[in-house]
Amino acid sequence: MDGLMLALGLLMELVISFLAARTFCYMMELKKTRRARILLAVISFLITNMVIFIGDWDNLPLTIVAFIAGICAAFQGSLLKKATIGLMFASVIFAYNVLTDNFIIDIVTDMLGYEAWTPAAVTSRLVFTLLLMMTVRRFAPQKDYDLAPEMWRLLLRLTAMPAGIVLSVVLLSNPRTYRTGEPLMCCVLMVIACLSLTGLLRAAVVLARQRELEQSSLLGEMNRVYYQSMEQQHFEIRRLRHDMANHLQVLSALPAERKDDYIQKLLNEEGVTGTLNYCGDPTLNAVLTVKDGLMRQKEIRFEKHLDIPSPLPFSPSDLCAVFVNALDNGAEACEKLPPPRREVILEARAAKGLLAVCVKNPTDQELEPGRMPRTSKKDRVRHGFGLRSIEEIVKRNQGDMELKTENGYFTLFLYLPLPETDAG
């Protein structure tokens, strides 16, 4: 009978560790190696079945370090992401283990009238792990999700507080006096830690989905720019065909001695000599093609100085968002000025490990120190996020951005580090 109970208990412990492993894989992407799968099985069994008693300095510190190290070795992604998610899972599971091994067991034993440590502990852990897995699976984001490093650092700092509660209750409480002293306080603190950590896991999911929405929005903006570029090119082709028909009629009526001069004049026109290849990056070519046509329609002189010989090593959606928002802000400011003053100057260069971008436009407004310019559009709820979007992309790519007004011009300057292999 004892052997059967032991085998049943071991089987339940294996099920618990399997459920925990599945839970971790909902929040992180496991490396596609046999070693990673074995490591995941070991750390999952270790963390879910480790007994944690109040005042126990042996199990908790070593197990939590081993678990987070195993998470970092077995899963893909940034170190910040793995450490943060690993600490969340470790803390919430340990908090519940403390509740089980120190409080739930006592309650069950008092109710049954005899020692029921093993079956009660295993059953409690099984129910908790199953609920945790179902919750995480229900709200889990895409496996390849990620957040900006600043957001991971913020979540890591927030996770440190409930994790510190778990460590403090276990390591700093006196095992001889906590049962007669403040057992209820210890139990409440573990419950608060559990709820806080599950809330932080949920926050990570929400932030990941928000990041997905932002990326979808950037991708949609990039698609819109490409569509406008195609539409603008078709418009230019139709205009050239119409003009060509008129030119041919004029040529047919001109005397022979004037035809050569007329043809040379046509060859020198911008529509014939112009090019859509402003630089070596196809995304920027599409953006500048659209903005060049739109600024001509708004009577804005668009001056471009680009030294970007090859495609840039950034996502097209980020490049599109940076240049579109910067040029749109300049065009918006110019529309409030008389046509002779309307101009937008773009300078961009990729060299010496940096992409440097400068956009200037005339303005009659002074920029308040430390504050973003406010949009002039009436619907400020849906507009006015262009510079903030640029700032987020710049910070995410470890760059910097500066805004200033000087000599009647507003200047946006930013730089983004380039990988060494792509440095000019």
Side-chain angles (χ1 to χ4, degrees), residues 136-156:
V136 173
R137 182 179 65 177
R138 171 67 178 81
F139 298 104
Q142 297 291 333
K143 288 186 179 180
D144 58 350
Y145 78 99
D146 204 355
L147 301 177
E150 292 81 4
M151 295 306 302
W152 283 125
R153 281 191 283 267
L154 174 61
L155 285 173
L156 185 59

Side-chain angles (χ1 to χ4, degrees), residues 305-373:
H305 305 283
L306 287 90
D307 184 10
I308 302 175
S310 59
L312 295 168
F314 303 105
S315 71
S317 58
D318 282 354
L319 283 175
C320 178
V322 167
F323 281 85
V324 165
N325 285 314
L327 296 175
D328 281 349
N329 286 339
E332 179 186 332
C334 287
E335 287 185 86
K336 296 181 289 186
L337 302 174
R341 291 187 58 194
R342 296 179 183 177
E343 68 171 341
V344 173
I345 303 172
L346 167 65
E347 298 177 352
R349 186 182 184 189
K352 297 182 180 180
L354 290 177
L355 168 64
V357 180
C358 180
V359 179
K360 298 174 63 176
N361 58 267
T363 183
D364 291 330
Q365 298 179 348
E366 289 294 326
L367 180 65
E368 298 181 32
R371 298 192 63 179
M372 291 279 188

Side-chain angles (χ1 to χ4, degrees), residues 24 79 128 155 159 161 263 278 312 320 380:
F24 305 150
L79 183 61
F128 169 76
L155 285 173
T159 303
M161 186 177 297
I263 291 174
Y278 301 95
L312 295 168
C320 178
R380 290 182 177 174

Side-chain angles (χ1 to χ4, degrees), residues 114-188:
Y114 61 88
E115 185 69 30
W117 186 84
T118 300
V122 173
T123 303
S124 175
R125 283 179 166 86
L126 177 61
V127 172
F128 169 76
T129 309
L130 181 60
L131 291 175
L132 181 64
M133 186 201 73
M134 294 173 62
T135 302
V136 173
R137 182 179 65 177
R138 171 67 178 81
F139 298 104
Q142 297 291 333
K143 288 186 179 180
D144 58 350
Y145 78 99
D146 204 355
L147 301 177
E150 292 81 4
M151 295 306 302
W152 283 125
R153 281 191 283 267
L154 174 61
L155 285 173
L156 185 59
R157 288 194 292 267
L158 293 174
T159 303
M161 186 177 297
I165 292 176
V166 177
L167 290 170
S168 299
V169 168
V170 174
L171 302 180
L172 302 182
S173 298
N174 190 327
R176 298 177 180 177
T177 60
Y178 91 94
R179 292 181 185 273
T180 58
E182 296 292 339
L184 180 60
M185 180 62 70
C186 293
C187 183
V188 169

Side-chain angles (χ1 to χ4, degrees), residues 70-363:
I71 287 290
C72 292
F75 287 90
Q76 301 180 28
S78 66
L79 183 61
L80 264 176
K81 174 183 177 180
K82 293 184 289 188
T84 303
I85 299 298
L87 183 59
M88 287 182 187
F89 277 125
S91 300
V92 72
I93 292 174
F94 278 137
Y96 191 79
N97 286 359
V98 172
L99 284 173
T100 298
D101 299 334
N102 297 274
F103 302 103
I104 296 177
I105 299 303
D106 291 345
I107 295 172
V108 173
T109 300
D110 291 341
M111 289 175 59
L112 297 178
Y114 61 88
E115 185 69 30
W117 186 84
T118 300
V122 173
T123 303
S124 175
R125 283 179 166 86
L126 177 61
V127 172
F128 169 76
T129 309
L130 181 60
L131 291 175
L132 181 64
M133 186 201 73
M134 294 173 62
T135 302
V136 173
R137 182 179 65 177
R138 171 67 178 81
F139 298 104
Q142 297 291 333
K143 288 186 179 180
D144 58 350
Y145 78 99
D146 204 355
L147 301 177
E150 292 81 4
M151 295 306 302
W152 283 125
R153 281 191 283 267
L154 174 61
L155 285 173
L156 185 59
R157 288 194 292 267
L158 293 174
T159 303
M161 186 177 297
I165 292 176
V166 177
L167 290 170
S168 299
V169 168
V170 174
L171 302 180
L172 302 182
S173 298
N174 190 327
R176 298 177 180 177
T177 60
Y178 91 94
R179 292 181 185 273
T180 58
E182 296 292 339
L184 180 60
M185 180 62 70
C186 293
C187 183
V188 169
L189 288 174
M190 289 300 97
V191 172
I192 292 174
C194 274
L195 295 176
S196 300
L197 290 159
T198 51
L200 287 170
L201 277 170
R202 175 64 176 153
V205 172
V206 172
L207 290 172
R209 290 185 175 176
Q210 180 64 30
R211 177 72 179 273
E212 290 175 6
L213 290 175
E214 291 176 357
Q215 290 179 338
S216 297
S217 176
L218 291 176
L219 183 59
E221 178 67 19
M222 185 180 68
N223 291 336
R224 183 184 67 82
V225 168
Y226 274 116
Y227 174 77
Q228 288 184 341
S229 174
M230 182 181 65
E231 193 176 53
Q232 186 72 23
Q233 291 176 40
H234 287 174
F235 170 78
E236 294 293 339
I237 291 171
R238 291 195 300 270
R239 183 180 64 82
L240 287 172
R241 289 179 61 184
H242 178 268
D243 291 347
M244 186 58 66
N246 292 332
H247 292 316
L248 290 174
Q249 292 178 1
V250 172
L251 280 172
S252 65
L254 284 175
E257 62 273 11
R258 295 183 55 189
K259 288 183 179 179
D260 290 342
D261 293 338
Y262 193 84
I263 291 174
Q264 188 61 44
K265 181 180 178 182
L266 291 178
L267 292 175
N268 291 332
E269 286 189 359
E270 182 181 358
V272 176
T273 60
T275 176
L276 299 179
N277 293 321
Y278 301 95
C279 65
D281 188 89
T283 300
L284 294 189
N285 287 333
V287 170
L288 296 178
T289 297
V290 173
K291 297 308 173 186
D292 192 44
L294 294 178
M295 288 191 185
R296 282 202 303 269
Q297 294 176 12
K298 296 177 180 180
E299 301 181 85
I300 300 174
R301 186 170 65 87
F302 188 20
E303 188 175 328
K304 302 172 285 294
H305 305 283
L306 287 90
D307 184 10
I308 302 175
S310 59
L312 295 168
F314 303 105
S315 71
S317 58
D318 282 354
L319 283 175
C320 178
V322 167
F323 281 85
V324 165
N325 285 314
L327 296 175
D328 281 349
N329 286 339
E332 179 186 332
C334 287
E335 287 185 86
K336 296 181 289 186
L337 302 174
R341 291 187 58 194
R342 296 179 183 177
E343 68 171 341
V344 173
I345 303 172
L346 167 65
E347 298 177 352
R349 186 182 184 189
K352 297 182 180 180
L354 290 177
L355 168 64
V357 180
C358 180
V359 179
K360 298 174 63 176
N361 58 267
T363 183

